[in-house]
Amino acid sequence: TTSSAFAQVYGAYVERFPTHERVPQMLTSWVSDKVDYPEEGRETFLRTVHVSADDIPWIIRKVTGLDKIVFEQEINVDLRNRSLSMVTKNATLRKKLLCDEVCQYVVDEVNGEWTYFEQTATLSVPGMPTPVARATWPSSSVSQDAARASEHGKTVESPPVVTPCAASMCQA
């Protein structure tokens, strides 16, 4: 069906919570608020995610004493239009460092079997006039490999996408 590619992406996203063996850096997560709009095929929820600080530079862990980083996510799922958007913000050290990320998964308008992913992240220090860093990754198809594999009778098992991706932005 035309919804299979997005359904696969969305299924992988849902599967990794509250934790997943393929995402060992995610210590725990929970949904703090959820609103369903069944007549519109939408849901919105807020999630708190605790991520291990093992991947941040040693000197930052030593100075801050961090053993985990906490992120807050707002997730909007539109099953009717087959889109998923996430806004992720760091809650740890928020007064000293702002690390914000927006990720979107949208089904391609021409080929309904392709789901595109776009990510924008901003790293800034409160009180500074401009962001320290801003990165945007252009849309790319996350389901093309699966489509190519299925043409040859194979399946591609995609690991869950690690979110919050903002954790890697904070390492720089």
Side-chain angles (χ1 to χ4, degrees):
T1 67
T2 58
S3 64
S4 64
F6 179 77
Q8 185 179 15
V9 170
Y10 181 62
Y13 171 76
V14 170
E15 186 179 291
R16 69 176 184 222
F17 295 105
T19 61
H20 193 282
E21 63 188 29
R22 288 188 172 168
V23 191
Q25 64 272 36
M26 187 164 54
L27 302 173
T28 188
S29 67
W30 62 89
V31 173
S32 56
D33 190 25
K34 182 175 182 180
V35 180
D36 287 315
Y37 304 94
E39 65 284 350
E40 298 172 22
R42 292 185 315 114
E43 62 184 11
T44 298
F45 49 100
L46 302 177
R47 174 178 280 129
T48 300
V49 181
H50 287 221
V51 178
S52 170
D54 291 343
D55 291 336
I56 64 173
W58 174 84
I59 190 70
I60 294 175
R61 287 195 321 265
K62 183 73 171 168
V63 170
T64 63
L66 292 177
D67 62 343
K68 67 182 173 191
I69 302 168
V70 179
F71 292 93
E72 301 289 332
Q73 291 183 320
E74 179 180 334
I75 299 99
N76 293 292
V77 180
D78 185 341
L79 295 174
R80 184 175 294 162
N81 294 309
R82 298 182 297 159
S83 67
L84 169 70
S85 67
M86 295 177 283
V87 176
T88 305
K89 298 178 180 226
N90 66 306
T92 306
L93 301 175
R94 184 85 183 156
K95 292 181 181 180
K96 297 180 182 199
L97 180 67
L98 305 175
C99 188
D100 300 333
E101 174 193 58
V102 177
C103 294
Q104 294 189 321
Y105 296 88
V106 182
V107 172
D108 181 69
E109 293 176 12
V110 177
N111 184 342
E113 288 298 313
W114 290 3
T115 300
Y116 285 93
F117 171 74
E118 184 172 274
Q119 177 183 39
T120 302
T122 304
L123 183 64
S124 58
V125 177
M128 292 186 72
T130 58
V132 174
R134 179 175 306 235
T136 300
W137 287 265
S139 293
S140 62
S141 173
V142 293
S143 53
Q144 288 177 9
D145 289 338
R148 283 190 206 109
S150 67
E151 289 173 2
H152 300 287
K154 298 178 182 177
T155 60
V156 174
E157 185 179 331
S158 302
V161 178
V162 178
T163 299
C165 304
S168 62
M169 288 296 299
C170 291
Q171 292 179 32

